[in-house]
Amino acid sequence: MVSLRTSAAYRIAFTYATAFALAMLLLGTAVYFAADAEFRRQRDKAIVEEAVELAREANDPRELRQEIDERARLSSPEGFGIALFDRSGRRVAGTLAAERPPAGLGDIVFHDPKEGPDIARADAIDLPDGSRLVVALDSETIENIDATILALFGVAFVALLLVGGVSALLLGRYLRLRLGTISSTARAIVEGDFAHRVPVSPRGDEFDQVGSALNAMLDRIDQLMENLRQVSSDIAHDLRTPLVRLRNQLELVGSVDDAAEKAIQQGDALLALFAAILRISEVEGGKLAASFEALDLSALAEDVCETFQPAIADSKRALDWAIAPGIRVLGNRELLAQAIGNLLDNARLHTPPGTQIAVTLVARAAAAELTVSDQGPGVPAQDYERMLHRFTRGEASRSTPGAGLGLSLVAAVAKAHGGQVVLADNAPGLRVTLILPVAGG
Amino acid sequence: MRVLIAEDDIETARFLERGLEELGHTATLVSEGEDALHAAATCEFDAIVLDRMLPGLSGLDVLRRLRAAKVRAPVLLLTALGGITDRVEGLEAGADDYLVKPFAFAELTARLNALLRRPPLSDVVTRFEVGDVTLDLLRRDVTRGGKAVHLQPREFALLEQLMRHAGRVVTRTMLLELVWGYHFDPQTNIVESHLSRLRSKLRDAGGDDPIETVRGAGYRMRASG
């Protein structure tokens, strides 16, 4: 199982989410400072304009004072604070509670009736009569706006982190799902389901393109394998036809000549070899799974033992069997019978008369273990692996009949059933175990 | 009897024709799928020997069309393909028997004989009597000259098949298929060993061996023994 830490999909998604959050943080900082500066500029402009407008009335000091008092009366607490100071610094009009500030634009301290001393932005203009007009705006407004912007960005950033994190998880999951269909297809093919293909959606995105490319590759491989099968089948067919004719001709003369009878037997041995090769190819082709059914392996093994027992007894060897009842597997009845038969053929062919041959069938965990053991000469352990391959035989058995295909068929049958064949020393003799998965277990 | 042989290999077809005519049958040869279909539809044959790989219409297609057209003549399918799925396909297409090339001529005639004299499906036989041997499928007992003969299940099944085909040759591969359901030939002589036990039990019950070995062909239950 891939964890969040090791998954490339999640890593990519989280990296993108983090990069996006950093970009958002930079943007937020820039916006905050730009907005703050702009608000201050606008505020200064408004103060100066108000002051200049009032100063136009300065020709008539009485009217100016009336105007100032009128505006101060109408003004809201967030509005302009206005005051007119005479030369001595005494406030002669307006409500702004502050000392006479120096001329020009600057920050002043004023007395807020609710909050006490507070900072305000003020513009002071000297009028022709020597008095000083002051227009001020409480700085709190801008501080409030700054705080609001900061709060908004804070909330947006947290939301972004949440949304980014969740989408990274979702994106990672999506990537893994899409990649998962590809790897599950590969696994299915490894397990022998050659018809499996990567599902491709009509969107045609990158994953679909990879899927289509993989499918095209699989189709090509399938086609090559099919060609190979076709060629093998054609060779088998083409070689069989002249052999059939040969056999027919021999049969026509066979009634008068004993040598022809021998030749027919040799030909039949050759044809049996063909049949064995084709049967192994068929089993290894992996297309037999469709013929599998749930069957009673115990009954099948018992049947094969009872079938072989008289012939093995006739060849002066003894066959005993101990079969646990009711062991069921999913498989092809004929192939399993042939595999067990091959093991018994081998035990009889490669042991001297008088040998004891034993068959056991037990269920161990989820596996059925069918063992054929003999007390014959056995096989060196280094030959075990080789013996499961086509045409290889133990050195000691070169002189006995058989083409060395018996065990390879057993191995192919085991593999087709999801099992395996294990060779072991029976001390003395050879012990061959066919291991098959138990049905429904 | 009349046999239709649909086989594209001329030599094999001639060999079959000659062999069947020597046995007193009439053989009609065709080498293509369409011809086989036409011949089977226009004339009545007692049996059809059909090669699976015919040029044009394949043997399986011919077989399916024949069965769809209610042609009931028994069909023996010949094939170079001995695969498990190939056989199932052939039988599902409506073949009565399936013979993998190459085969001994005796194998073909034994199987044709078995197909030709096969009783209709409605005619269920549960008791056989050949000479002084009787076999009862329901009571699962065998007697010879009135004396009970105790047989193992496979010996019983072997005797049943020989008695079903009494007077005719039953080959070793037919017995492997009919008694054991094996479509492969083990290297161990399982048929011979069971048969020899059956024979000795029948002899012990008195009289000669009622089963004869036909050299190069198989075994035959003497029809009058």
Side-chain angles (χ1 to χ4, degrees), chain A residues 320-335:
Chain A
D320 290 316
W321 59 91
I323 288 166
I327 298 176
R328 299 182 70 78
V329 297
L330 200 64
N332 181 295
R333 185 176 295 278
E334 175 160 6
L335 281 180

Side-chain angles (χ1 to χ4, degrees), chain A residues 240 245 282 303 334 345, chain B residues 9 84 87 101 154 188:
Chain A
R240 273 174 179 221
R245 291 180 191 160
E282 186 189 14
D303 187 71
E334 175 160 6
D345 278 341
Chain B
D9 183 59
I84 291 167
R87 192 179 60 243
K101 288 179 181 178
R154 279 159 203 82
T188 301

Side-chain angles (χ1 to χ4, degrees), chain A residues 12-26 157 160-161:
Chain A
I12 291 167
F14 275 115
T15 307
Y16 271 92
T18 311
F20 194 55
L22 277 177
M24 184 74 180
L25 201 62
L26 273 174
F157 187 70
L160 181 84
L161 281 183

Side-chain angles (χ1 to χ4, degrees), chain B residues 162-173:
Chain B
L162 290 166
M163 290 179 82
R164 267 186 199 278
H165 300 94
R168 285 170 285 148
V169 172
V170 184
T171 66
R172 209 167 67 87
T173 46

Side-chain angles (χ1 to χ4, degrees), chain A residues 30-47 105 121 137-150 152-153:
Chain A
V31 165
Y32 171 77
F33 284 108
D36 183 62
E38 179 62 17
F39 280 130
R40 287 176 194 277
R41 203 182 59 76
Q42 295 267 351
R43 178 196 59 182
D44 290 355
K45 193 169 158 235
I47 293 168
L105 201 59
R121 191 71 172 166
L137 258 183
D138 193 341
S139 293
E140 200 179 274
T141 316
I142 285 194
E143 279 158 14
N144 285 345
I145 290 174
D146 283 351
T148 307
I149 291 177
L150 266 186
L152 272 174
F153 266 108

